[in-house]
Amino acid sequence: MSASLIAIYLDHRRSLFGCALKIVRDLQVAEDLLQESYLRACKAVEKGPIDNIGAFLHRTVHNLALDHLRRCRTQERFEAGPADTVEALGIASETPSAEEGLLHRERLSCFMDALDRLPARARQVWLLNRIEGLSYPQIAAHLGVSQGTVFNDMKLAMGHFVDAMARADRPGPAASRTGGR
């Protein structure tokens, strides 16, 4: 019976998958439900004969998909309490505060200014490596320069960025005078 169960399962697999996908609308979950339905059919066959294995598989996939949706909805209901519950519990929000957002924008602006002030070839080397993902040998071939030149340009760019960001992070003159006393 095991060989015939596999054959029937494989014959119905496409329609079983379609049934599950139609309900859960998630490819991975639908695939998991198919596997679970097959395992349940194996267990049922061990207990006794099944008159129509194809119908049994379809009913099992359908029921499993509906159960999955019910569990998800119940979980959402319990996890998504009132908005003030999160605040009342003192749970930190993943969204940055307005101050953090401003600081990030200022740092990005400082970085972009530093990028603009780089010599053209060093800027191009940095962009090709860090943005485009090219290796040093690929950059060297692309620009028609040696790998050592690419290395030196990258070193120049990285040093330039470190200096620019350190200057941006340094407290202003008033803060440094009062900070030491």
Side-chain angles (χ1 to χ4, degrees):
M1 185 63 180
S2 175
S4 64
L5 173 61
I6 292 171
I8 294 170
Y9 172 77
L10 292 175
D11 285 344
H12 290 267
R13 189 178 190 299
R14 187 180 192 127
S15 63
L16 292 168
F17 185 77
C19 175
L21 187 60
K22 186 176 180 181
I23 296 171
V24 298
R25 300 190 185 283
D26 184 312
L27 294 171
Q28 186 60 50
V29 172
E31 189 64 44
D32 291 345
L33 294 176
L34 253 66
Q35 292 176 13
E36 180 64 24
S37 68
Y38 176 76
L39 293 175
R40 289 191 182 193
C42 287
K43 288 179 184 176
V45 167
E46 288 174 3
K47 292 179 182 176
I50 299 174
D51 292 335
N52 187 340
I53 295 176
F56 179 88
L57 286 167
H58 278 280
R59 177 52 52 195
T60 303
V61 164
H62 185 263
N63 290 342
L64 287 170
L66 292 177
D67 289 345
H68 174 79
L69 281 184
R70 283 187 207 108
R71 273 193 311 277
C72 287
R73 287 183 185 142
T74 302
Q75 186 177 4
E76 286 172 6
R77 215 173 345 158
F78 284 107
E79 287 180 354
D84 59 348
T85 305
V86 172
E87 291 175 16
L89 294 173
I91 299 173
S93 171
E94 292 181 18
T95 316
S97 68
E99 181 182 6
E100 289 173 324
L102 177 63
L103 289 172
H104 288 302
R105 284 190 298 279
E106 286 176 355
R107 286 181 57 79
L108 178 61
S109 176
C110 177
F111 181 83
M112 294 305 291
D113 288 343
L115 181 63
D116 289 341
R117 286 191 308 268
L118 273 175
R121 190 181 63 215
R123 180 176 47 250
Q124 190 174 13
V125 165
W126 186 86
L127 289 169
L128 288 171
N129 180 255
R130 298 301 171 133
I131 305 301
E132 300 295 325
L134 297 181
S135 67
Y136 286 11
Q138 290 171 323
I139 295 169
H142 178 74
L143 297 178
V145 297
S146 71
Q147 289 183 36
T149 300
V150 171
F151 176 81
N152 288 333
D153 284 344
M154 183 59 92
K155 189 168 79 170
L156 171 75
M158 297 306 285
H160 184 71
F161 293 140
V162 167
D163 291 344
M165 299 315 288
R167 279 192 306 275
D169 291 340
R170 201 174 300 140
S176 63
R177 276 185 264 137
T178 59
R181 293 185 183 156

